Amino acid sequence: MSSASSMESLILQLHEISAVKFGNFKLKSGISSPVYIDLRLIVSYPSLLSQISQTLISAVSSAAPPTTFDLICGVPYTALPIATVVSVNNNIPMLMRRKEIKSYGTGKAIEGVFQPNQTCLIIEDLVTSGASVLETAAPLREIGLKVTDAVVLIDREQGGRENLAENGIRLHALLKLSEMVGVLRRLGKVEEDTEKMVLRFLEENRKISVPKVERERVGKVKLSYGERAKLVKNETGRRLFEVMVQKESNLCLAADVGTAAELLDLADKVGQEICLLKTHVDILPDFTPDFGSKLHAIAEKHNFLIFEDRKFADIGNTVTMQYEGGIFRILEWADIVNAHIISGPGIVDGLKLKGLPRGRGLLLLAEMSSAGNLATGDYTAAAVKIAEDHSDFVIGFISVNPASWQGGQGNPAFIHATPGVQMVTGGDALGQQYNTPYAVIYDRGSDIIIVGRGIIKAADPAQAAREYRIQGWNAYLAKYT
């Protein structure tokens, strides 16, 4: 049977089971239509369901340019049986998107087994504006999957293809609605007046924008810290997420005090409240070679990680020596360090050469919290690109407002830590800008609040740390649930 006759046969079968109806129907987009496609009926016709499923996957396989993918996901609910048949008959792993995320159990938006950066093909029954496909693409992208293509049985030719293209998704459609009506008219299944009415309707409604409510929902689904830990390639990055979950803390103390003795005392006092301790070791006048081992012992006692805020910025060969040698020997005791990318990706190569074999992790400075800083726009985008290229060593970013980045926070395996956090907003005389824990975690999309003076200058640093920990964790729970 030729391709054309095969499509005619499929159109006739859909008409015979009343999956194609003519009359006056209100669509999801809100407009009234003289034709309605009800493909939920095909689950009662196994042979037709199998034919549609195989024809869909064959169309994608023969696309030009070729479409490659690792997984499939059907848009709930009508496309789920189609995707299931495709998966079983072609041995392609399938994911399932929950339309309603439960408040109990795992609370996952996407069910199934996958790896970060795999490509997922979306399967849908028909497309009008493309909203349903975008609603499914959003949580898939949130968990680190790539979505570049969607395949549908019927394109209603009302802007779906264009809307999806604007969001980086290429649409493959077996049938166009105008072609279906033309076939049914030619075979005497519909009257000429009906065909003209449908074609006039399509001409007058060529472009339906994605409904506002759908656009607002895109990108809102979040993964828990525990789920994100499973996506991390780097040992230290994974451990940081796990410590955060174990201690119910997303608080990092910026221990910018005047002496090593003060720092060690402070670390012991607030250690049970924090997941991370940030140091500036080069400001300590009483630094001694055993400082690192002493701090490491306190970190083990209270189960937190150590982050030396060194802000490496030189060429690869130089930072390698700065990291491993000198009087501070940072590599020996700091779980995490950070770096500017001003010198290019070579700086990451240099630090990784020494750090990766020791299981260390690196944060890149994608943004800064000081007024007038230059780490914005293209600089931030470049940091993200370098991080993706070195995800075995880079564990995330120092960032200020990742929710505002193009594409949002990006890969959920990367962690975002934000400095300049206090209980009230404002700034200091030297240009430091402050935001509240809730604003940083819930509104700006960060993961860790970095607090310095709000704890150090408090009358009771341990109690202040507890209050910041609770606020930060409650903001995370509010965002996640």
Side-chain angles (χ1 to χ4, degrees):
M1 183 181 294
S2 69
S3 176
S5 58
S6 176
M7 289 300 102
E8 275 195 9
S9 172
L10 181 57
I11 292 169
L12 284 174
Q13 289 181 75
L14 291 172
H15 182 261
E16 287 170 3
I17 67 170
S18 298
V20 183
K21 299 180 174 69
F22 298 92
N24 186 25
F25 308 94
K26 187 174 183 178
L27 304 180
K28 179 180 179 179
S29 58
I31 64 173
S32 296
S33 168
V35 60
Y36 183 67
I37 311 297
D38 185 8
L39 295 177
R40 288 167 294 190
L41 298 173
I42 65 176
V43 295
S44 298
Y45 300 87
S47 178
L48 178 58
L49 175 60
S50 180
Q51 179 187 348
I52 289 172
S53 303
Q54 195 55 47
T55 306
L56 280 175
I57 202 66
S58 297
V60 173
S61 302
S62 60
T67 298
T68 59
F69 52 91
D70 308 294
L71 311 156
I72 59 173
C73 182
V75 175
Y77 293 106
T78 306
L80 287 179
I82 301 175
T84 302
V85 174
V86 169
S87 175
V88 172
N89 288 349
N90 297 275
N91 195 31
I92 303 172
M94 173 180 161
L95 301 178
M96 186 174 71
R97 171 195 158 220
R98 285 187 178 273
K99 202 165 186 178
E100 300 87 19
I101 301 173
K102 306 299 183 184
S103 60
Y104 51 86
T106 62
K108 292 181 179 179
I110 301 295
E111 301 286 355
V113 178
F114 57 90
Q115 297 297 325
N117 294 317
Q118 285 186 310
T119 300
C120 185
L121 171 71
I122 292 180
I123 295 177
E124 173 66 305
D125 57 337
L126 79 161
V127 161
T128 303
S129 69
S132 296
V133 173
L134 291 176
E135 289 173 1
T136 297
L140 291 169
R141 286 170 167 172
E142 284 280 346
I143 59 175
L145 295 174
K146 299 175 183 176
V147 178
T148 58
D149 294 81
V151 61
V152 301
L153 177 60
I154 301 170
D155 178 7
R156 287 186 60 104
E157 303 172 84
Q158 293 178 263
R161 182 180 299 274
E162 293 78 7
N163 288 333
L164 292 176
E166 290 174 4
N167 286 272
I169 299 174
R170 179 172 58 150
L171 181 66
H172 309 264
L174 284 186
L175 301 167
K176 293 182 178 179
L177 185 53
S178 59
E179 295 172 348
M180 291 182 64
V181 177
V183 168
L184 293 174
R185 167 69 184 121
R186 180 164 52 80
L187 297 178
K189 301 298 182 181
V190 298
E191 299 295 330
E192 182 179 359
D193 288 345
T194 300
E195 179 188 26
K196 289 181 177 179
M197 181 170 57
V198 172
L199 294 179
R200 183 168 61 251
F201 166 79
L202 292 178
E203 186 61 35
E204 293 171 353
N205 295 274
R206 281 292 176 189
K207 177 70 172 178
I208 299 177
S209 61
V210 178
K212 183 178 180 181
V213 63
E214 309 300 347
R215 288 193 183 275
E216 290 176 347
R217 289 174 60 186
V218 172
K220 292 295 184 183
V221 179
K222 301 296 178 186
L223 294 177
S224 69
Y225 291 152
E227 290 172 316
R228 291 169 64 186
K230 299 174 183 178
L231 305 177
V232 181
K233 299 177 183 178
N234 180 276
E235 176 185 339
T236 293
R238 182 167 55 253
R239 184 181 162 214
L240 178 54
F241 272 124
E242 290 169 351
V243 168
M244 292 163 68
V245 173
Q246 291 164 10
K247 300 183 71 174
E248 296 189 350
S249 173
N250 50 10
L251 172 62
C252 170
L253 171 65
D256 299 335
V257 292
T259 67
E262 287 180 82
L263 191 152
L264 295 172
D265 180 62
L266 181 64
D268 198 29
K269 287 180 178 177
V270 306
Q272 64 181 359
E273 305 294 341
I274 64 176
C275 64
L276 192 62
L277 180 82
K278 185 174 78 70
T279 62
H280 276 298
V281 70
D282 54 357
I283 68 175
L284 305 175
D286 57 339
F287 176 87
T288 56
D290 62 351
F291 168 82
S293 60
K294 290 179 179 179
L295 181 58
H296 194 265
I298 296 172
E300 286 196 332
K301 173 184 175 183
H302 295 294
N303 189 26
F304 63 78
L305 278 70
I306 303 169
F307 164 31
E308 165 55 23
D309 191 2
R310 177 61 178 78
K311 295 186 176 72
F312 292 104
D314 219 313
I315 62 173
N317 184 62
T318 302
V319 298
T320 299
M321 294 187 288
Q322 291 172 330
Y323 191 15
E324 182 180 39
I327 62 172
F328 299 123
R329 306 189 72 82
I330 297 168
L331 178 62
E332 293 184 358
W333 51 269
D335 300 297
I336 300 166
V337 293
N338 60 353
H340 292 286
I341 61 161
I342 190 67
S343 58
I347 192 171
V348 179
D349 293 324
L351 293 169
K352 183 162 70 170
L353 182 66
K354 298 295 182 179
L356 190 58
R358 297 285 293 270
R360 306 307 193 197
L362 175 68
L363 294 169
L364 296 183
L365 284 113
E367 294 179 293
M368 297 185 71
S369 57
S370 54
N373 78 84
L374 304 180
T376 59
D378 291 343
Y379 188 93
T380 299
V384 173
K385 175 63 167 60
I386 291 174
E388 291 284 1
D389 292 341
H390 296 274
S391 58
D392 55 343
F393 183 53
V394 177
I395 66 171
F397 308 96
I398 300 297
S399 54
V400 175
N401 189 5
S404 69
W405 295 4
Q406 185 174 0
Q409 294 95 317
N411 189 337
F414 290 135
I415 200 159
H416 292 266
T418 298
V421 179
Q422 285 201 0
M423 293 298 187
V424 294
T425 58
D428 66 11
L430 297 178
Q432 174 68 298
Q433 303 297 301
Y434 293 109
N435 285 286
T436 65
Y438 187 89
V440 167
I441 300 297
Y442 189 90
D443 296 327
R444 296 182 170 225
S446 192
D447 301 304
I448 292 177
I449 56 173
I450 302 176
V451 182
R453 282 170 269 187
I455 294 174
I456 295 170
K457 302 295 185 182
D460 185 346
Q463 179 60 31
R466 175 173 172 76
E467 292 172 1
Y468 273 102
R469 179 186 66 80
I470 292 172
Q471 283 213 16
W473 192 255
N474 285 343
Y476 156 69
L477 292 177
K479 179 177 74 170
Y480 174 58
T481 59

